[in-house]
Amino acid sequence: MVTIEREGGDRTMDDQGRGPDPRPAGTEGEPCESAAEAEPRPLPYEGVWRFTASAVDASVPQARHAVRDLLYRQGVPVGDDLAQGLLLIVSELVTNAVRHAAVLSPVLAVEVAVGAEWVRVSVEDNHPYRPTALEADHARTGGRGLLLVREITREAGGVCDVEHTSGGGKVIWAALPLKPVRVS
């Protein structure tokens, strides 16, 4: 069972998710626009939630279901396509952490940050290797997880990256823009 806790603001979204840059606060690169002097009031679904899970296969569906339930419970305005993309990204990132980092990182962390304009999911582990999205080798099975994450993110108009943590591990994250769901 996975318990998601609301964070106090460790890695909050720049401009509370209202600006053009969903990068985690404190990372390289400043937002393209300066934040408004008076901070707007947060929307009911805005926040940062983080949970940890063992680096085992069973954590993949648990993480996916926990993120799905969180988005629903908080009332995050995600359409079906965006929700499915986010859940596939979570599955791929947790799977990669389980397969490639478990030896040095028996526990991984999943974070969901929701702002007014962006939703960001990230997976953190303690393994120092920084993977890259390699071009697909059509003769191989597997090995396309980060390529898939990059393509889903690009098609949604979002951004993704891999960053080192201060503890020597890494965080892989993807942020997708929230588009208001039109009610018929």
Side-chain angles (χ1 to χ4, degrees), residues 10 18-19 24 33 60 73 76 78 97 121-122 136 140:
D10 236 55
R18 290 178 171 80
E33 299 173 10
V60 177
R73 187 175 63 250
V76 179
V78 293
V121 293
S122 61
R140 280 183 48 195

Side-chain angles (χ1 to χ4, degrees), residues 49-158:
W49 294 265
R50 184 176 177 91
F51 64 92
T52 58
S54 298
V56 296
D57 289 338
S59 293
V60 177
Q62 288 176 345
R64 184 177 56 249
H65 295 159
V67 170
R68 180 199 62 202
D69 294 346
L70 172 70
L71 294 173
Y72 176 75
R73 187 175 63 250
Q74 292 305 122
V76 179
V78 293
D80 288 340
D81 288 345
L82 182 63
Q84 293 304 315
L86 278 170
L87 297 177
L88 184 53
I89 288 170
V90 168
S91 293
E92 289 297 332
L93 296 182
V94 173
T95 297
N96 284 351
V98 167
R99 286 191 182 156
H100 304 293
V103 172
L104 296 178
S105 186
V107 175
L108 55 96
V110 177
E111 185 176 272
V112 180
V114 183
E117 296 177 12
W118 293 90
V119 59
R120 185 185 70 239
V121 293
S122 61
V123 175
E124 181 177 342
D125 64 57
N126 292 324
H127 198 290
Y129 176 69
R130 182 179 172 151
T132 58
L134 302 174
E135 294 302 319
D137 176 356
H138 297 291
R140 280 183 48 195
T141 58
R144 295 182 181 92
L146 286 180
L147 181 64
L148 182 60
V149 167
R150 185 180 71 191
E151 289 305 307
I152 291 169
T153 303
R154 183 189 59 77
E155 285 181 17

